[in-house]
Amino acid sequence: MNTRDGGIGDRGIGDGGIGHGGTSDDADWNQNERDETQTQRLDRNWNSLLQELRVVQTGVQILTGFLLTLPFHDGFEDLGGALRVVYLITVSCAVAAAILLAAPVALHRVLFRRHQIGLIVAYAHYLSFIGLTLLGLALSGAVTVVFGATAGTTSAVIAGVATFVVFASAWLVLPLWLRVTTDHQD
């Protein structure tokens, strides 16, 4: 394993090569189409990942902050037992999402100047994917709690399920379907 230029990332994990027919195909495509080295590709993937994290970081922080303040508002004590459970699960998902979506920065900081950009990109990819999944679950839970507190149980279930379906469709099913069905060279 070549740890100097990237370690795990050299095998195509987390570098845009997943699902693209293997590392050599992906590396060849990048070399031919982009005229970039392995290190340049990993640097590009790292920068792209950071941009994606910047997009979601503010939202996850606002959602988490909002959820953490709810118990201190009047009327929170009126939430029934089921909604409190949904709330606690939602808070847990939001906090975990915030941690996982910030973890790539900590990973980079700890491995900085150790020539492990491939390892950083690979693990940051997985941490981000899990963090986004937890963020989607937290959004579904937050909608459930808000509708439950304002419109009742039936509305809460409908709104929560609808939010989950939209989240799962837009953030999971569609991207994974596109990854499987599209030619990576297009």
Side-chain angles (χ1 to χ4, degrees):
M1 174 169 67
N2 179 356
T3 57
R4 178 139 180 96
D5 284 337
I8 288 177
D10 289 344
R11 291 177 290 196
I13 300 172
D15 60 6
I18 294 176
H20 289 181
T23 303
S24 65
D25 289 347
D26 190 51
D28 290 344
W29 185 88
N30 276 293
Q31 180 61 40
N32 293 333
E33 297 295 321
R34 295 180 186 262
D35 194 30
E36 65 185 359
T37 66
Q38 174 80 355
T39 303
Q40 289 170 326
R41 181 174 53 91
L42 289 169
D43 287 341
R44 177 178 50 81
N45 288 330
W46 174 246
N47 287 325
S48 183
L49 181 66
L50 285 179
Q51 285 301 104
E52 294 166 7
L53 292 174
R54 285 183 187 112
V55 169
V56 298
Q57 195 63 40
T58 302
V60 75
Q61 289 172 344
I62 290 170
L63 176 64
T64 304
F66 163 74
L67 289 169
L68 289 172
T69 63
L70 277 182
F72 304 104
H73 290 270
D74 293 336
F76 183 80
E77 61 277 350
D78 297 335
L79 285 182
L83 274 182
R84 283 183 185 238
V85 170
V86 171
Y87 167 77
L88 291 172
I89 292 169
T90 300
V91 167
S92 299
C93 286
V95 169
I99 291 168
L100 291 174
L101 292 170
V105 175
L107 186 66
H108 181 265
R109 192 57 11 221
V110 171
L111 295 173
F112 185 65
R113 292 189 178 165
R114 299 195 50 113
H115 310 287
Q116 296 295 318
I117 190 68
L119 186 69
I120 293 167
V121 168
Y123 282 94
H125 163 74
Y126 291 116
L127 292 166
S128 300
F129 188 80
I130 296 166
L132 284 170
T133 301
L134 289 170
L135 175 58
L137 294 172
L139 288 168
S140 299
V143 167
T144 302
V145 170
V146 168
F147 272 75
T150 59
T153 304
T154 303
S155 296
V157 171
I158 292 169
V161 169
T163 303
F164 178 79
V165 167
V166 171
F167 146 67
S169 298
W171 289 11
L172 299 172
V173 175
L174 178 63
L176 292 172
W177 178 76
L178 288 172
R179 187 170 113 185
V180 169
T181 61
T182 58
D183 180 9
H184 77 282
Q185 295 180 1
D186 289 342

